[in-house]
Amino acid sequence: MSEGIEKNLRSDHGEFNEKGLTQEEVDLHNNRDAKIKNPLAGIPHDILMRQVEDFARDRDLSDMTDLLKRGALVAQNPAEFDTIPGITEPEREALAAEITHKWRQPRSMYFTVILCSIGAAVQGWDQTGSNGANLSFPVEFGIPDSQYLDAAETIPNPNYEHNLWLVGLINGAPYLASAFLGCWMSDPLNNYLGRRGTIFFSAVFCLLPVIGSACAQNWYELFITRILLGIGMGCKASTVPIYAAENVPAVIRGGLVMCWQLWTAFGILLGFSANLAVRDTGAIAWRLQLGSAFIPAVPLLIGVFFCPESPRWYMKKGKYTKAYRSLLRLRNTPIQAARDLYLVHAQLIEEAHIIGQSSYVGRFIELFTIPRVRRATLASFTVMIAQQMCGINIIAFYSSTVFVQAGATPQNALLASWGFGFVNFVFAFPAVWTIDTFGRRALLLFTFPQMAWTLLACGLCFLIPESSRAHLGLIALFVFLFAAFYSPGEGPVPFTYSAEAFPLSHREVGMSWAVATCLFWAFVLSLTWPRMVAAMTPTGAFCFYAGLNLTAFVMIFFWVPETKQRTLEELDYVFAVPTGKHMRYQAGKALPYFIQKYVLRRKGATLEPLYQMDKHTQVEGATRAASVVQATQARRKSSAR
């Protein structure tokens, strides 16, 4: 980082102290005024141009100094890009189209998203292979989980409880390995190999172990292969959402990053389809159900070589020329690439003032000691643990067993599980549009109460006599309704949210923390569910998770700020707002407003916004400027007629 740039850090008034900042600069440790600022706003024109010249010289980009200057001016004041000298008409149209035609993006960007989607499909398929295999592999290895050893139910099984724990351990092995190995390996792997290299590494571990699991000759070998699979799953889940979040524009980041959940749901559906397709293959059915997950891992392994590396990762490594080349592939025009390059650079400087550089262990400790990072850690922990508290993986891991316990035949249980996978996939589609309009937080707060009552109803339906035709039908209905509410809410938000919440300096280790949280509790759920059902009955177990949904709702209400349509750099200001201020706002203003408007139906109810948006922030500024450009174009067309 050049000394000239560091000295020329600015304030909105252009007055500088010895650190390049004024007393009025937003404190990224303690943003009590909840201001969201543009790091370039307010810099005098001559100082900004000098900073850009220093930047271009220091980063071997001197041949594009003029382009970088125009890009910096656009980044500084996106609301007035239409008036910036030197901006061509095609550039104006491209900048306006970011808002008016936000899904018009380059092929390389969409190819990157497709690759990330394949990675998610691998994750989903890996989860559901064991679902169908649960009906047969325990018997194959002599660990039946029945209370009795004979069909007449007269000879007790002395290893009954031991077998329940063992089946849970084998099912949960990938999540155990992910939580304690795979997730934490992603930080050093990303450091040395980059995003693409880490995805390739994870793809290898998602390909070979599933083939090995299909060839296992005893439960020890099956357990080991699933441990190895967990290494790949953890690395992939910690890296792919970051890779997507860093490559896509802010206005559609949620809609594209949430493809992780959409295609995880698709992978779950494919896994259930594979379970059905091989159900009649006899003794090898469970082997085919586990081994079929290698199919999507192959295109992931190959396709990653054709994607651009993350520009932000290149910038973190000081490789700005390569970062610009990646941005050229990920943006429609050079002016957009130059703007994003310099804007990210400016925010990285501000992050460096409060965070600095540290070792891997140091970065992990700083997840809990640096206020801005600690708030992201708390929020990501909340959304990730809530994904397990909601109970979705009861169904994803054990739906076949649940439906058999409800009185279904093994074949009908697989069919009902396929129905769950289909609903989970179809209802994930609305989130592509709603996650960037309604927002991450709003989707969570809407869907958690719905998941609570559907699980409660599902559990109570187990009390209906099995002889009644309504017994199995209502259980399946409420399982499907639960999936329909989960898929557009808690399904896509956690991985999207965690990938964007942390600053670049802590993004890998922060995502490792978040995913390890999620997958560790997935392991706990997988391990404990067979024993929980035996001890509490299905009714008690489902009601328990219904209560956890309400607990998660309260946690999200107080601890999870909104992140929609903010650039990754602007989120530094969101997470600089003290947790106490956020909680007081939600309890003292947001909750009373909701009661006044939606319960008491008072039309005059108003809500004071928490965040004070700088007019120069990218999305707000670009939206205003785009409307001006549209109006100008409309007048030209009208006069031409």
Side-chain angles (χ1 to χ4, degrees):
M1 187 182 302
S2 74
E3 293 183 2
I5 295 176
E6 289 191 30
K7 290 178 181 178
N8 287 326
L9 284 173
R10 82 288 164 264
S11 75
D12 282 343
H13 303 286
E15 300 172 358
F16 303 89
N17 62 17
E18 67 276 6
K19 293 183 179 179
L21 303 168
T22 69
Q23 301 302 317
E24 298 184 18
E25 186 69 23
V26 172
D27 183 354
L28 292 185
H29 284 309
N30 190 13
N31 185 8
R32 292 191 176 277
D33 294 329
K35 290 183 178 179
I36 298 179
K37 295 176 61 64
N38 180 332
L40 299 177
I43 305 179
H45 182 274
D46 58 334
I47 294 179
L48 178 61
M49 294 299 97
R50 189 167 67 248
Q51 289 180 0
V52 174
E53 291 172 357
D54 291 343
F55 168 76
R57 183 182 62 254
D58 294 344
R59 302 298 177 181
D60 295 325
L61 298 171
S62 298
D63 57 333
M64 49 180 289
T65 301
D66 290 339
L67 176 63
L68 285 169
K69 286 182 177 180
R70 299 203 309 277
L73 290 171
V74 172
Q76 182 186 47
N77 196 353
E80 298 178 8
F81 67 74
D82 193 42
T83 63
I84 293 174
I87 300 293
T88 66
E89 188 62 27
E91 289 174 341
R92 288 191 180 92
E93 293 178 358
L95 291 167
E98 288 183 316
I99 301 299
T100 59
H101 298 84
K102 61 184 181 181
W103 295 99
R104 186 187 296 167
Q105 300 293 336
R107 291 181 180 177
S108 289
M109 199 273 288
Y110 279 118
F111 184 83
T112 299
V113 173
I114 290 171
L115 179 90
C116 294
S117 301
I118 294 173
V122 174
Q123 198 86 354
W125 202 326
D126 286 333
Q127 289 180 13
T128 50
S130 62
N131 190 305
N134 283 333
L135 299 177
S136 53
F137 89 77
V139 178
E140 174 82 9
F141 293 148
I143 48 173
D145 56 2
S146 171
Q147 292 186 13
Y148 300 93
L149 295 176
D150 64 339
E153 298 187 351
T154 58
I155 304 176
N157 181 356
N159 297 320
Y160 170 57
E161 291 195 12
H162 172 268
N163 289 348
L164 288 176
W165 289 112
L166 187 55
V167 170
L169 180 65
I170 293 172
N171 276 300
Y175 310 101
L176 179 67
S178 293
F180 289 101
L181 288 174
C183 292
W184 301 108
M185 290 172 64
S186 69
D187 184 283
L189 285 172
N190 272 277
N191 185 47
Y192 293 108
L193 303 180
R195 311 289 189 242
R196 294 190 309 163
T198 304
I199 293 172
F200 176 83
F201 174 89
S202 68
V204 172
F205 275 83
C206 288
L207 173 66
L208 300 181
V210 295
I211 297 174
S213 66
C215 302
Q217 299 301 306
N218 51 60
W219 76 262
Y220 301 97
E221 293 179 4
L222 182 59
F223 177 76
I224 292 171
T225 56
R226 289 180 64 77
I227 286 287
L228 294 174
L229 171 63
I231 294 175
M233 290 175 64
C235 288
K236 176 159 53 60
S238 300
T239 302
V240 170
I242 289 177
Y243 181 56
E246 291 182 341
N247 284 358
V248 302
V251 291
I252 56 173
R253 187 176 66 244
L256 292 181
V257 178
M258 69 77 51
C259 283
W260 172 266
Q261 167 59 23
L262 176 64
W263 297 104
T264 297
F266 182 63
I268 289 173
L269 177 60
L270 290 178
F272 282 131
S273 299
N275 289 344
L276 271 174
V278 302
R279 70 184 186 277
D280 295 325
T281 55
I284 65 168
W286 69 269
R287 297 183 183 277
L288 297 176
Q289 288 165 341
L290 290 174
S292 62
F294 89 92
I295 296 172
V298 174
L300 177 66
L301 197 71
I302 298 172
V304 70
F305 288 102
F306 298 94
C307 293
E309 181 57 271
S310 163
R312 285 176 171 85
W313 183 83
Y314 275 137
M315 294 174 73
K316 184 178 180 179
K317 293 296 183 180
K319 301 177 180 180
Y320 278 73
T321 302
K322 291 184 177 180
Y324 176 68
R325 290 173 186 165
S326 282
L327 281 168
L328 286 177
R329 296 180 62 185
L330 296 166
R331 300 294 182 263
N332 286 310
T333 61
I335 189 70
Q336 292 166 304
R339 175 203 61 195
D340 291 354
L341 183 76
Y342 194 75
L343 184 60
V344 173
H345 169 73
Q347 189 62 34
L348 289 179
I349 294 174
E350 294 216 348
E351 286 183 11
H353 281 297
I354 65 165
I355 295 174
Q357 300 294 324
S358 54
S359 65
Y360 181 18
V361 174
R363 289 195 300 276
F364 175 78
I365 294 173
E366 288 168 353
L367 291 179
F368 310 96
T369 57
I370 295 178
R372 181 265 180 263
V373 184
R374 185 174 63 238
R375 295 178 193 114
T377 301
L378 174 62
S380 63
F381 168 83
T382 300
V383 296
M384 282 297 195
I385 196 172
Q387 191 171 72
Q388 303 309 320
M389 293 171 70
C390 79
I392 184 63
N393 284 329
I394 294 170
I395 315 300
F397 299 163
Y398 290 106
S399 61
S400 298
T401 306
V402 167
F403 287 124
V404 166
Q405 290 171 333
T409 64
Q411 180 170 336
N412 287 339
L414 290 173
L415 283 168
S417 296
W418 184 90
F420 160 76
F422 180 77
V423 171
N424 188 34
F425 174 58
V426 169
F427 280 86
F429 275 98
V432 174
W433 297 275
T434 58
I435 198 169
D436 283 316
T437 52
F438 296 147
R440 287 74 156 144
R441 175 183 166 84
L443 287 176
L444 294 178
L445 293 178
F446 170 74
T447 55
F448 265 91
Q450 318 310 321
M451 291 190 290
W453 74 258
T454 51
L455 276 187
L456 178 63
C458 181
L460 295 176
C461 285
F462 276 90
L463 300 177
I464 299 173
E466 283 193 32
S467 58
S468 172
R469 297 177 62 182
H471 176 80
L472 179 59
L474 286 175
I475 289 173
L477 171 65
F478 286 114
V479 166
F480 294 164
L481 285 175
F482 169 78
F485 285 120
Y486 166 84
S487 293
E490 179 60 14
V493 169
F495 283 87
T496 302
Y497 193 97
S498 300
E500 63 193 9
F502 294 93
L504 181 60
S505 57
H506 290 67
R507 194 160 291 153
E508 296 93 341
V509 70
M511 191 63 177
S512 298
W513 154 263
V515 177
T517 297
C518 180
L519 297 184
F520 172 75
W521 290 104
F523 163 72
V524 171
L525 185 150
S526 179
L527 178 68
T528 59
W529 178 253
R531 188 68 188 93
M532 180 183 290
V533 173
M536 301 174 62
T537 75
T539 297
F542 274 100
C543 291
F544 172 78
Y545 276 98
L548 289 185
N549 272 274
L550 298 180
T551 304
F553 174 86
V554 175
M555 293 166 61
I556 290 164
F557 182 79
F558 284 112
W559 295 340
V560 176
E562 183 57 78
T563 60
K564 71 170 183 175
Q565 295 194 354
R566 303 260 64 84
T567 67
L568 295 179
E569 288 66 45
E570 288 168 359
L571 291 180
D572 281 336
Y573 301 99
V574 171
F575 287 101
V577 175
T579 302
K581 179 180 178 67
H582 184 269
M583 294 175 67
R584 287 191 295 273
Y585 175 84
Q586 301 305 330
K589 296 183 178 180
L591 182 59
Y593 165 78
F594 179 86
I595 294 173
Q596 292 283 329
K597 185 174 180 65
Y598 297 105
V599 179
L600 302 179
R601 311 298 294 177
R602 294 181 180 174
K603 295 182 180 180
T606 59
L607 177 64
E608 175 189 336
L610 171 60
Y611 302 112
Q612 308 301 315
M613 302 293 185
D614 187 326
K615 67 179 182 179
H616 300 293
T617 54
Q618 185 170 326
V619 175
E620 283 77 13
T623 301
R624 286 192 293 272
S627 64
V628 172
V629 172
Q630 280 187 309
T632 303
Q633 292 173 342
R635 286 195 298 271
R636 289 173 182 170
K637 291 180 180 179
S638 178
S639 61
R641 294 194 189 99

